[in-house]
Amino acid sequence: MKLRRLTSEDMEQVIAIQQSITRQPVSPNWRKMLAQHVSDPCQAGLVAEIDDKVIGFILGEIKVGGFGSELTGWLEMVGVSPEHMGAGVGRALAQGLFEYFTKQGVTEVLTAVRWDSGDMLAFFKNLGFDRSPFINLRLVV
Ligand SMILES: CC(C)(COP(=O)(O)OP(=O)(O)OC[C@H]1O[C@@H](n2cnc3c(N)ncnc32)[C@H](O)[C@@H]1OP(=O)(O)O)[C@@H](O)C(=O)NCCC(=O)NCCS
């Protein structure tokens, strides 16, 4: 397995993985968000591939200021194709993203997970994440 930066040529394969996880088509906004992870230098995207086939992806962003640190790394989304889950791909992608964050001077990584998503919580806890001092607030407008 090889890790490398996400490129625009990977977009359709990443979209296919996301659709196989959620079992619904990605929205035009999702597609746009993915394209921004290729073009915007503050956003990070990595893919894992085997034999030139993309089998997983991870998306992140570095935010300046806020949340108590000068720079914070955000793990925004991670997905592994169902036939490759449970084989260390997600962990390798997360470690690749953390290495990238570290090189950019980030010392703290944040993420958010649905409170009832036990699988994702178990995965993040396994990577070493714990509860942050912050809580998410929401306003429906
Ligand atoms: C969560 C996900 C990214 C993990 O990637 P993965 O390649 O399957 O996970 P890994 O094999 O790297 O596992 C890393 C560690 O997390 C743990 N873990 C991974 N998935 C887990 C799960 N579903 N439940 C419990 N623990 C889990 C593993 O046990 C492993 O620990 P270990 O190294 O001590 O054995 C991947 O399974 C995935 O894409 N799942 C679908 C996500 C989803 O449902 N998204 C919907 C909202 S977008």
Side-chain angles (χ1 to χ4, degrees):
M1 180 181 62
K2 191 174 121 193
L3 291 192
R4 58 169 178 76
R5 292 285 310 241
L6 168 76
T7 70
S8 52
E9 285 79 52
D10 302 318
M11 282 192 46
E12 294 312 316
Q13 290 190 82
V14 169
I15 287 168
I17 292 171
Q18 177 67 5
Q19 292 181 159
S20 67
I21 292 170
T22 61
R23 296 194 192 132
Q24 56 187 18
V26 302
S27 66
N29 281 332
W30 202 94
R31 195 174 268 277
K32 198 166 141 198
M33 174 282 297
L34 184 61
Q36 278 164 355
H37 280 80
V38 176
S39 59
D40 182 341
C42 282
Q43 307 207 11
L46 293 176
V47 293
E49 66 177 6
I50 291 180
D51 298 334
D52 296 331
K53 186 177 186 305
V54 175
I55 56 163
F57 67 93
I58 193 162
L59 305 178
E61 182 176 358
I62 295 176
K63 289 189 195 289
V64 180
F67 296 98
S69 297
E70 168 63 14
L71 291 178
T72 47
W74 280 79
L75 192 168
E76 295 174 314
M77 203 170 287
V78 54
V80 173
S81 70
E83 64 268 33
H84 290 95
M85 284 177 187
V89 179
R91 177 187 291 280
L93 283 162
Q95 282 167 347
L97 184 68
F98 302 157
E99 273 169 33
Y100 169 75
F101 282 158
T102 306
K103 282 193 194 131
Q104 304 301 313
V106 166
T107 56
E108 191 174 19
V109 183
L110 299 169
T111 194
V113 58
R114 278 187 67 99
W115 67 268
D116 57 353
S117 181
D119 285 6
M120 291 303 284
L121 263 177
F123 171 66
F124 285 131
K125 274 192 76 82
N126 219 289
L127 294 179
F129 279 94
D130 205 347
R131 268 203 293 205
S132 86
F134 306 102
I135 56 167
N136 286 314
L137 300 180
R138 182 169 79 136
L139 171 69
V140 180
V141 291

